[in-house]
Amino acid sequence: MSTGRGDRRQSVAESTSQQQSRRAVLRGTAAACAATVGLASTASASSDPFGQYYDDYRTVVDVTDVGADDTGNESITPVLEELRGDDRLLVFPEGRYRMDEQFRFTGFDNFGLVGQNATLVPANYYNFAGPQYRLFRLGLSDRPGKRIRFEGFDIDQSASNTGIRTIEAFASDRLEVRNITILGQHDSGTWGPGRFNLTDSSSTGIVDQFWAPDGGAWINDTPSAGDRWRGPTGIVANQNRGTLKFKHCWLGAFPDNGLYATSNSGKIIVHGGLYRNCNGANVRIGGQNSEIRWPTVEVDSMRPEDRSQRGIRIENGSGFEIYGAAITNTAPEPTSHAISVMNTCQSARIENTQIEVRGSEINHGVVLSPNCGETTLVDTTITHETAGGHPLWIQDTDRTDPILAEHLTIRGEAGDASGFRDSIRCERDNCRFNNIDVKQTGRNGANRNAVVNTGSNFTVYKSELRADRYPYIDIGSDALVRDSYLESSGSHEAVCLYSSSQNPSFKKNQLIDGIRDYGANYVTTWSNSYN
């Protein structure tokens, strides 16, 4: 199966190359500017790569012109405190800037900080003054900044115990965060690298290329042991009310979720990016009409503390769309589902998505929780090769919202540990499968079924179901299988009906070796062939 992972890795590599090229250009530009005119307290837009922003601010300040040390020896926070002001952009030329206490600014209309290949260097956890949580706190939930810009910084956390939140921002109108790279593991146990929220329903924001590929340490391996649960989250957006976009972000192994953006208001857009080996969930999203488009999610390693590394988890909202995702889990702990549609998700669509789940543990592909709402899967492929589990599990519920799958393909060799032997386990009413293609064989002699239905008003139409045990088992009611091909590779019948099955109908199918009936009620067969 082609998952597009190679193309996605190439895309990430190209993004990395572009970022390195961008920094090389900025380095040369900054050096040229320093050798000629330099930035003054009101800088010239024509001499600086960030000149395009200058018209947006009344004052533009080169922080080194007013005493900020660019060698990394002295803290710049006192200088920033003096420079704090509304309608102001602070520019950091190439250099290293040490910070040993938080910079806080709230209630402003327009404020920005931009780096020209600049590196921020946090102090050691034990030497960080005041709240040991953040470098920059821009706006509060009740006193947000109106417009915030933060761009073009590396944050060097390669020294021991220097992990700290780079930026926390609340904006009421516009938030722009771009080209931020965290170098080194977040190892002090403080809050994770970024927190971003929009406070107004009409506000917009973008977090573009926020990279923390080295992840974070578990809390008990840090100076903050015992202070909080698990450890840092990669990016948090838990009070968002506007439209907030995360574009081409890259998060490594964090102990308490990768991207965590679960507000039930506002809209979250995830566009591209790479999310890897995070405990909890790699991408966890809420909101209204939120979108997850073209991300790559990979789980290929785990630490002893990791318990669940779900790929994508959606909750707290309606109108979710997952499109073009590539999700691979080759080191799964149990419950590390590729996609979890949670109880608080009222409606969702999963389309053009590639899923691989492999390993020696029981695990599942797409899991629809009992109380989730209407869900549609389209043009999606699931390769499932674990010790047991369901590539698609529609869990038992009294809800009657419809579930639809079209052009769904399931492949792989899996086991039947703990009885998890069904490729599709449907325990819900009003489920319909059109043009699905299921072919799953048993690992080491295990028994695998293609589809098991326990609900009512179930339909399979124009599909192909193959398994080494039964292609179709019915213990529900009012099921219809029509215009489909069903075959067992293990010398079983195409269909198995248990005594609890009520009113099943089979019309115009090719049912290889017929139907095994254990006492179903009111079975209808019409124009089927059996060889």
Side-chain angles (χ1 to χ4, degrees), residues 35-87:
T36 53
V37 295
L39 285 173
S41 59
T42 54
S44 168
S46 62
S47 64
D48 186 81
F50 288 105
Q52 59 182 315
Y53 299 152
Y54 292 174
D55 289 343
D56 297 336
Y57 301 88
R58 183 174 56 201
T59 307
V60 177
V61 182
D62 178 335
V63 297
T64 62
D65 282 349
V66 288
D69 174 43
D70 61 0
T71 68
N73 291 318
E74 297 181 8
S75 175
I76 65 168
T77 309
V79 176
L80 300 183
E81 293 289 345
E82 294 180 2
L83 291 176
R84 181 172 48 203
D86 205 352
D87 208 11

Side-chain angles (χ1 to χ4, degrees), residues 165 186-193 215-222 224-236 253-258 260 279-280 303 305-306:
R165 175 164 290 169
H186 191 101
D187 65 352
S188 67
T190 64
W191 295 329
W218 275 80
I219 191 68
N220 288 336
D221 297 327
T222 74
S224 303
D227 285 354
R228 55 185 57 86
W229 188 46
R230 289 180 175 173
T233 302
I235 296 175
V236 177
F254 283 92
D256 190 29
N257 298 287
Y260 181 91
N279 187 67
R303 295 175 284 190
E305 300 90 345
D306 291 328

Side-chain angles (χ1 to χ4, degrees), residues 494-508:
V495 173
C496 179
L497 303 176
Y498 285 93
S499 59
S500 59
S501 177
Q502 302 284 329
N503 305 316
S505 297
F506 301 88
K507 300 180 179 181
K508 300 181 70 174

